[in-house]
């Protein structure tokens, strides 16, 4: 008799450790599980199945579900910071967040995971301290880069305003798509940052009028 495609062997999940190795693969799997099903779907078994690993390996690496959540959040924030050009270190306005729309397009699960945990923290206040600490990484990176661009540095309120704009753009693209809308809005944000730069003690961003179609800088007090 010909073996059916529905044999136990055929139904057995394939190993999929192709998103990284070991601990990183499990963290990536946890991010995808939460992004697609919410925090209530996060179990050792679900993460193991998503990663193509064993239940015991998840337990070995993290020990508790709370530890898995905390480390997955830290992992996702670091990944976003590395890929979004939020802090380039160049101090050039034209470089600010240039990879934002591509980051959302290429890996929407990472962004969805973070929003899922933000919303879940309203229902589970015990999550809020770790989310606050980790999101402070975003605020600190934003403030450092703005301070490189703006003479005299960036205030806390300005930092929050700029990051809120970026965060909103990510959320809207995640829901509606339209990366070109994100890119257009980011260019408008960069125009405002050029004005802030020119309004300080400096002479304006060196890249503001060089070869990239940048807007002419004018003093908003005029």
């Amino acid at each position: 008799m010909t073996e059916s495609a529905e044999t136990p062997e055929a139904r057995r999940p394939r190993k999929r450790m192709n998103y990284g190795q070991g601990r990183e693969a499990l963290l990536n799997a946890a991010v995808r599980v939460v992004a697609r099903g919410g925090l209530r779907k996060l179990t050792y078994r679900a993460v193991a199945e998503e990663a193509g690993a064993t239940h015991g390996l998840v337990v070995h690496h993290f020990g508790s579900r709370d530890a898995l959540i905390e480390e997955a959040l830290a992992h996702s924030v670091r990944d976003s910071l590395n890929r979004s050009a939020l802090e380039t270190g160049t101090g050039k306005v034209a470089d600010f967040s240039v990879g934002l729309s591509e980051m959302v397009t290429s890996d929407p699960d990472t962004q969805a995971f973070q929003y899922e945990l933000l919303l879940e923290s309203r229902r589970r206040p015990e999550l809020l301290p770790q989310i606050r600490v980790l999101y402070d990484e975003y605020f600190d990176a934003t403030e450092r880069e703005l301070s490189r661009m703006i003479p005299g540095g960036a205030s806390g309120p300005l930092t929050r305003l700029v990051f809120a704009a970026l965060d909103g753009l990510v959320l809207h693209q995640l829901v509606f798509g339209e990366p070109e809308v994100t890119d257009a809005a980011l260019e408008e944000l960069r125009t405002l940052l050029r004005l802030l730069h020119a309004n300080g003690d400096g002479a304006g961003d060196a890249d503001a009028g060089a070869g990239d179609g940048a807007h002419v800088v004018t003093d908003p007090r005029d």
Side-chain angles (χ1 to χ4, degrees), residues 123-217:
R123 297 180 287 268
R124 294 181 53 189
E126 68 270 18
L127 292 174
L128 189 58
Q130 66 195 54
I131 289 174
R132 187 182 297 278
V133 168
L134 291 165
Y135 262 70
D136 278 345
E137 293 190 38
Y138 280 139
F139 300 140
D140 290 346
T142 303
E143 184 172 5
R144 286 192 299 268
E145 193 60 24
L146 288 176
S147 294
R148 293 183 183 103
M149 292 185 275
I150 300 171
S155 66
L158 175 62
T159 296
R160 290 298 182 105
L161 177 63
V162 170
F163 182 76
L166 299 176
D167 205 28
L169 289 172
V170 169
L171 179 59
H172 287 187
Q173 185 178 331
L174 191 64
V175 175
F176 301 115
E178 304 176 329
E180 68 281 0
V181 174
T182 301
D183 290 337
L186 282 171
E187 188 50 42
E188 289 300 316
L189 176 60
R190 294 185 192 107
T191 299
L192 295 175
L193 293 175
R194 289 184 179 104
L195 292 175
L196 287 174
H197 189 136
N199 202 34
D201 297 330
D205 190 355
D207 71 309
D212 63 350
H215 298 266
V216 176
V217 174

